[in-house]
Amino acid sequence: MDKIKDKVSVIIPVYNSEKTIVQVLDSIKRQTRFDYICEILVINDGSKDQSEELIQNYICEHSELPISYYSKENGGASSARNFGMRRAKGEYIAFLDSDDLWMPEKIEVQMKILLQHREIVFLGAGYEDRPFYIMTKRIDGLYKATIKDICKKNFPVTPSVVFKAEAIKTLGYFDEKQKFGEDINYYQKFCISYNYYYLPRKLVTIGFQKDFFGATGLTSHMKEMHLGTIKNLREVYMEGHISKSFYYEMRIFYWLKYCRRCVRRWFRDCISKGKKVE
């Protein structure tokens, strides 16, 4: 399929997102440079709520928007993203999850960088209004990350990502069997085969109607997330991209980080139960 020059295909996997999907689509509609967007691919991944009805109504009410709607059996976020990637027409691909929002200037800021620096294949951005650190190293401007950087700190978040669609020919697609850490598993391939840039500026809001440490969020699967991170690290090591000593340093670091999160979660649960008792 021929790519459309300098245009972006937006891919949104949707699963039981009736409470958020309208706001998500609105955040695309409000982009200051919407003209860079050639299509919005909404993939309903087997939702059982009113997501489909809301999306269809939104399309009818905003017929001027280039929204293409697809419905498929549930296969997970990676399956839905792959579905969209196989149908995307744009030269660039951007992801947006169905419970995240783009800041109005998101596409404008990133496309300005990508068009000024044609060598950039992968570009991510931030989701917090605070300085960005990789361990003790502070990142203040556009930054070309190394594979060690990504091992030290898994970044960026998926709704901030924009990358050249042509890279798919070399890298393939998301691993649909991996359910946790699958995004970094895919993104680290860009760093190895192409390049990996990061802009430390908040351009997205993640989980805007969800407690990030809540029972319904990904952090309720801390063990699975930890194991996914270890899998990603092991693959990079087995492929010879990091040393044995660095690999084991990171294994220890990840274990300590996991223990810290478990303790924080335990304290949070205790406080929550205490409030309920009162």
Side-chain angles (χ1 to χ4, degrees), residues 158-207:
T158 289
S160 76
V161 166
V162 180
F163 64 86
K164 288 185 178 180
E166 64 182 21
I168 298 172
K169 297 176 183 178
T170 300
L171 304 181
Y173 297 86
F174 285 87
D175 180 356
E176 297 182 15
K177 295 180 180 179
Q178 183 172 346
K179 301 302 180 183
F180 296 90
E182 75 286 349
D183 47 359
I184 296 298
N185 180 269
Y186 186 60
Y187 302 155
Q188 65 191 18
K189 297 177 183 178
F190 284 88
C191 189
I192 293 167
S193 298
Y194 293 99
N195 54 50
Y196 196 101
Y197 281 81
Y198 180 79
L199 181 69
R201 174 174 172 179
K202 180 180 178 179
L203 294 179
V204 301
T205 298
I206 63 172

Side-chain angles (χ1 to χ4, degrees), residues 41-244:
L41 306 175
V42 180
I43 297 91
N44 184 359
D45 191 44
S47 295
K48 295 179 174 61
D49 62 359
Q50 299 300 309
S51 293
E52 180 170 24
E53 181 180 347
L54 289 169
I55 295 167
Q56 296 284 25
N57 289 341
Y58 193 94
I59 292 173
C60 291
E61 294 170 3
H62 301 84
S63 58
E64 76 282 3
L65 300 181
I67 302 176
S68 296
Y69 175 73
Y70 301 90
S71 183
K72 60 183 282 298
E73 292 184 2
N74 180 256
S78 291
S79 172
R81 291 186 187 116
N82 288 343
F83 186 97
M85 289 162 66
R86 290 188 174 97
R87 290 160 178 78
K89 300 175 183 177
E91 184 177 353
Y92 294 91
I93 288 177
F95 294 128
L96 179 56
D97 290 337
S98 58
D99 59 352
D100 301 325
L101 302 175
W102 280 354
M103 305 298 285
E105 71 276 15
K106 196 265 187 187
I107 289 295
E108 178 178 5
V109 169
Q110 289 186 302
M111 286 307 297
K112 182 178 180 180
I113 292 172
L114 290 168
L115 297 180
Q116 288 178 344
H117 303 275
R118 292 283 186 174
E119 73 279 6
I120 295 179
V121 176
F122 178 99
L123 176 62
Y127 67 94
E128 296 178 296
D129 281 321
R130 63 181 183 181
F132 181 77
Y133 287 88
I134 301 175
M135 297 293 198
T136 58
K137 180 168 64 175
R138 176 167 170 160
I139 308 300
D140 291 313
L142 183 63
Y143 179 71
K144 184 178 182 180
T146 67
I147 192 64
K148 281 190 173 183
D149 290 329
I150 301 164
C151 291
K152 292 176 182 177
K153 185 180 183 73
N154 292 166
F155 69 99
V157 292
T158 289
S160 76
V161 166
V162 180
F163 64 86
K164 288 185 178 180
E166 64 182 21
I168 298 172
K169 297 176 183 178
T170 300
L171 304 181
Y173 297 86
F174 285 87
D175 180 356
E176 297 182 15
K177 295 180 180 179
Q178 183 172 346
K179 301 302 180 183
F180 296 90
E182 75 286 349
D183 47 359
I184 296 298
N185 180 269
Y186 186 60
Y187 302 155
Q188 65 191 18
K189 297 177 183 178
F190 284 88
C191 189
I192 293 167
S193 298
Y194 293 99
N195 54 50
Y196 196 101
Y197 281 81
Y198 180 79
L199 181 69
R201 174 174 172 179
K202 180 180 178 179
L203 294 179
V204 301
T205 298
I206 63 172
F208 66 97
Q209 284 199 358
K210 187 184 296 181
D211 182 348
F212 192 67
F213 287 93
T216 59
L218 279 178
T219 49
S220 64
H221 300 281
M222 288 187 294
K223 182 178 180 180
E224 292 88 344
M225 291 175 65
H226 172 68
L227 294 176
T229 301
I230 294 299
K231 175 183 179 293
N232 297 341
L233 179 69
R234 186 184 298 114
E235 287 186 10
V236 173
Y237 168 62
M238 295 301 293
E239 292 171 2
H241 302 297
I242 57 175
S243 67
K244 187 175 183 179

